[in-house]
Amino acid sequence: MRAWYPAIKSYALTRAQVSKARSGGVRRLHLAPPFLVEDYIPRYHLLSSIDASKKRTAAYAHLRKCNLCPRLCGVNRYEKTGVCLIGAETVKVNVIAPHFGEEPCIQGHNGSGAVFFSGCNLRCVFCQNHDIAHQRNGFDLTPEELGEWYLKLQDVGKVHNINLITPEHVVPQVVLSILHARELGLRLPIIYNTSSFDSVASLELLEGLVDIYLPDFKVWKDSTSKRLLKADAYAATATESIRAMHAQVGDLAFTPDGIATKGLLVRHLVMPGKEDEGREIMTWLAKNLSRDVFVHIMEQYHPDAHVGKAKKASPTPRTTSSQVVEPGPRDNLRDELQSVRYGEINRAIKPEEIRSVRSAAEKAGLWRFCDAADHGGYNI
């Protein structure tokens, strides 16, 4: 634990002080100073007009020879598309709305201003949003139109932030949209909600524009990333990307009312039988970034997308009308593992798998977790 930790007790209020604060309509959480930010100014407002112009130029250059993700397609997206299947002049968006499915410190009371982009540079076989990421459902927006939607989320939705979900493949358009929205009066923090499969060049383009990085560090082993994510060297890419994100924004910090405004929040979705990889990820975070990294160990995995579907050459007697083998106990487990796709993860997470990853995180020295707070408010 950090040396400043005992000083937190000095922030405790007497009963009279609490009553006085409540009567003034102000809720005081009394965070330790390193994690408390008052009167926060989004980073994109600190950019000079010259730096903003340089970013616009760089964004257009990236689209003419795309190197936004480690796949390094190198295509001119004004003429054709790469792996992500998204062009240059527009982005494809599935949903734009206040969202209440994020961490409490992200969604707050009014919701997070979510922008769900269609398309993805990964092909996760278990993708929980596969109808968006793999099927490219949605509508097209120019960067200017996208920026105008940010203002609608701010002024009409009253959201706490702009949450860009799966934006790795449309970073130039995102950069242009943020700069346009800045001119229109946007004043909310920007969240970059990513799978961590980003290139260094992409993150350099985002420098000074993103306030909160929200990477999902998925797996550790190359064999797992090749089989389940359809990507080579995922962990090497993720570690490099997350290190760069942390260097830009530091550890997660909050306003006095518990809403995150800047910093890094790392997610990890625990996978069936992959808890050893989760333990490696937690150890890496503590040793290579900071023991003050805010971590969300997620347990909501469920079989989806391609997981559990019957192999075409081996029909299975236990299928639904959509030819998906239902997860859960069965008598002929070995036969079904061989007859369905990705049978090894065709089940729910076990409590002991969650505990194993959490225990490794605590042992490594991590202590800031996305848990329910005892006081009923936000856990900071």
Side-chain angles (χ1 to χ4, degrees):
M1 201 66 71
R2 291 291 181 263
W4 53 260
Y5 179 72
I8 291 178
K9 293 184 178 180
S10 69
Y11 282 75
L13 292 178
T14 65
R15 187 182 299 272
Q17 288 172 317
V18 169
S19 177
K20 182 178 179 180
R22 286 176 177 170
S23 65
V26 179
R27 179 176 180 232
R28 302 294 184 185
L29 289 189
H30 300 280
L31 302 175
F35 309 128
L36 174 62
V37 176
E38 300 208 58
D39 302 321
Y40 180 72
I41 300 175
R43 299 177 77 217
Y44 53 85
H45 277 299
L46 304 179
L47 279 180
S48 68
S49 58
I50 294 176
D51 288 335
S53 179
K54 289 180 179 178
K55 285 195 177 292
R56 287 190 180 93
T57 301
Y60 289 122
H62 277 292
L63 290 170
R64 292 187 181 94
K65 187 176 181 181
C66 188
N67 60 347
L68 294 173
C69 79
R71 295 189 187 277
L72 301 176
C73 296
V75 300
N76 183 342
R77 288 171 63 172
Y78 287 96
E79 299 176 352
K80 62 179 181 178
T81 62
V83 173
C84 67
L85 303 177
I86 302 296
E89 297 183 6
T90 62
V91 298
K92 190 171 287 292
V93 177
N94 188 271
V95 174
I96 301 178
H99 184 47
F100 293 87
E102 304 287 22
E103 290 79 1
C105 63
I106 298 295
Q107 70 181 35
H109 301 286
N110 300 333
S112 179
V115 180
F116 286 87
F117 292 101
S118 297
C120 186
N121 61 358
L122 289 177
R123 293 291 184 270
C124 301
V125 301
F126 54 88
C127 182
Q128 317 286 286
N129 294 321
H130 63 96
D131 57 328
I132 300 174
H134 295 180
Q135 299 175 20
R136 298 175 61 247
N137 295 322
F139 53 98
D140 295 325
L141 294 175
T142 66
E144 292 74 24
E145 291 170 333
L146 182 59
E148 291 162 8
W149 269 103
Y150 301 164
L151 270 293
K152 294 177 184 178
L153 288 169
Q154 172 183 275
D155 299 336
V156 181
K158 307 298 183 183
V159 297
H160 298 287
N161 45 62
I162 301 299
N163 189 352
L164 307 173
I165 301 172
T166 319
E168 300 93 314
H169 55 298
V170 291
V171 167
Q173 297 96 320
V174 161
V175 167
L176 296 172
S177 70
I178 294 171
L179 294 174
H180 180 66
R182 180 179 80 155
E183 297 175 354
L184 298 178
L186 185 68
R187 55 187 182 275
L188 297 178
I190 299 292
I191 299 179
Y192 186 78
N193 192 333
T194 171
S195 64
S196 304
F197 202 54
D198 300 277
S199 71
V200 173
S202 179
L203 295 172
E204 289 175 351
L205 185 59
L206 291 166
E207 170 68 58
L209 296 175
V210 173
D211 301 284
I212 298 174
Y213 280 104
L214 196 57
D216 180 4
F217 200 151
K218 297 179 180 293
V219 298
W220 185 257
K221 296 179 180 178
D222 286 344
S223 57
T224 303
S225 68
K226 289 179 181 179
R227 175 166 170 76
L228 301 184
L229 312 186
K230 307 307 177 185
D232 293 325
Y234 169 82
T237 300
T239 53
E240 184 179 38
S241 298
I242 294 174
R243 198 192 299 268
M245 296 173 194
H246 187 260
Q248 287 187 22
V249 298
D251 294 317
L252 197 64
F254 303 82
T255 61
D257 59 355
I259 304 298
T261 55
K262 66 174 290 290
L264 178 74
L265 192 163
V266 181
R267 292 168 166 171
H268 172 65
L269 178 64
V270 180
M271 302 280 292
K274 307 295 181 185
E275 66 273 19
D276 58 327
E277 302 191 38
R279 293 193 296 266
E280 291 284 357
I281 289 170
M282 296 302 131
T283 301
W284 182 88
L285 291 173
K287 288 184 176 180
N288 294 275
L289 294 187
S290 165
R291 286 183 291 167
D292 297 327
V293 169
F294 200 99
V295 177
H296 184 186
I297 299 173
M298 301 187 295
E299 55 189 73
Q300 64 262 41
Y301 171 85
H302 62 273
D304 210 332
H306 302 290
V307 177
K309 288 187 176 180
K311 293 180 179 179
K312 294 181 179 179
S314 292
T316 176
R318 192 163 180 251
T319 61
T320 65
S321 59
S322 60
Q323 291 298 298
V324 176
V325 176
E326 298 175 359
R330 48 274 239 173
D331 298 328
N332 57 337
L333 177 60
R334 179 174 298 180
D335 292 341
E336 288 194 5
L337 286 177
Q338 296 175 352
S339 62
V340 303
R341 303 181 69 186
Y342 310 104
E344 72 274 18
I345 58 171
N346 188 36
R347 63 171 175 82
I349 294 295
K350 298 177 181 178
E352 55 267 29
E353 293 171 328
I354 298 292
R355 288 195 296 267
S356 174
V357 177
R358 175 61 178 261
S359 177
E362 294 175 347
K363 185 177 180 180
L366 299 175
W367 62 281
R368 301 180 74 197
F369 300 102
C370 185
D371 295 333
D374 294 335
H375 53 67
Y378 298 143
N379 194 337
I380 44 77

